[in-house]
């Protein structure tokens, strides 16, 4: 049943992209090219009823140790609780010199057929922003601050603001 839900999600997503006929291959994977810049991989895992979305951020790791350390630090900061990774995380394959950003969508009972269609734009935007950050770091540049639209129109925290601090309150947490 869950694989049928994953197929229905992929079908809805393909309609959104005007790419009729997208489907999973024999490995339950579908790979899409995004603007001839990077690939978006969708893999359904039947043992967990999950649809994994993942995409490369970097192909070929920096050789300079200082740049590598700065890159790792920035990736770890961004992946804290999935905050800057669309709720997902980042993985590293040193031997393959590959860094991937990944997210997971549950395809179990109760998930509607438009979950992928709704989530994919945020994921692609996140990939694009992280690819720019990673490229800037590898080129020795200081990356721009990371920002994404927040659900419900909320404003992102101001850099340097204490978590839970309301702008103009002087700090601290709000008691509820």
């Amino acid at each position: 049943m869950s694989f049928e839900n994953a197929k229905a999600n992929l079908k809805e997503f393909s309609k959104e992209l005007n790419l009729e006929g997208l489907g999973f291959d024999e490995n339950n994977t579908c790979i899409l090219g995004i603007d001839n810049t990077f690939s978006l991989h969708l893999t359904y895992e039947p043992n967990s009823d999950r649809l994994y979305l993942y995409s490369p951020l970097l192909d070929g790791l920096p050789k300079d140790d200082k740049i590598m350390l700065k890159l790792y630090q920035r990736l770890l900061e961004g992946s804290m609780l999935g905050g800057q990774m669309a709720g997902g995380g980042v993985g590293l394959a040193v031997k393959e010199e590959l860094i991937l950003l990944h997210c997971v969508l549950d395809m179990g009972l109760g998930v509607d057929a438009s979950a992928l269609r709704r989530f994919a734009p945020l994921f692609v935007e996140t990939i694009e922003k992280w690819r720019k950050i990673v490229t800037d770091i590898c080129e020795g540049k200081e990356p721009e601050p990371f920002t994404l639209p927040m659900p419900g129109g909320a404003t992102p925290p101001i850099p340097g603001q204490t978590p839970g601090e309301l702008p103009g309150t002087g700090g601290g947490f709000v008691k509820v």
Side-chain angles (χ1 to χ4, degrees), residues 21 31 59-60 70 90 96 104 149 161 166 170-171:
I31 302 172
D59 195 12
K70 186 173 184 171
V90 66
E96 292 80 10
V104 179
Q161 179 178 340
L166 297 175

Side-chain angles (χ1 to χ4, degrees), residues 62-130:
K63 304 303 178 213
D64 182 292
D65 288 341
K66 288 183 181 181
I67 290 176
M68 181 74 84
L69 179 62
K70 186 173 184 171
L71 178 62
Y72 286 176
Q73 180 180 353
R74 184 64 184 94
L75 289 167
L76 285 171
E77 287 172 355
S79 66
M80 179 75 73
L81 300 176
Q84 296 176 358
M85 303 277 179
V90 66
L92 171 69
V94 176
K95 187 176 167 184
E96 292 80 10
E97 296 194 27
L98 180 67
I99 297 174
L100 291 178
L101 192 141
H102 61 276
C103 287
V104 179
L105 292 177
D106 183 28
M107 290 289 117
L109 292 174
V111 175
D112 65 65
S114 59
L116 175 61
R117 178 183 52 78
R118 287 191 313 267
F119 180 71
L122 173 65
F123 186 72
V124 168
E125 183 176 355
T126 302
I127 293 294
E128 290 170 338
K129 288 191 179 218
W130 273 104

Side-chain angles (χ1 to χ4, degrees), residues 4 8 23 36 55 73 75 98 101 106 123 128 134 137 139 146 156 166 170 173 175:
E4 295 307 315
N36 294 320
S55 188
Q73 180 180 353
L75 289 167
L98 180 67
L101 192 141
D106 183 28
F123 186 72
E128 290 170 338
V134 165
I137 290 171
E139 292 175 354
F146 187 92
L166 297 175
F173 288 85
K175 293 183 181 181

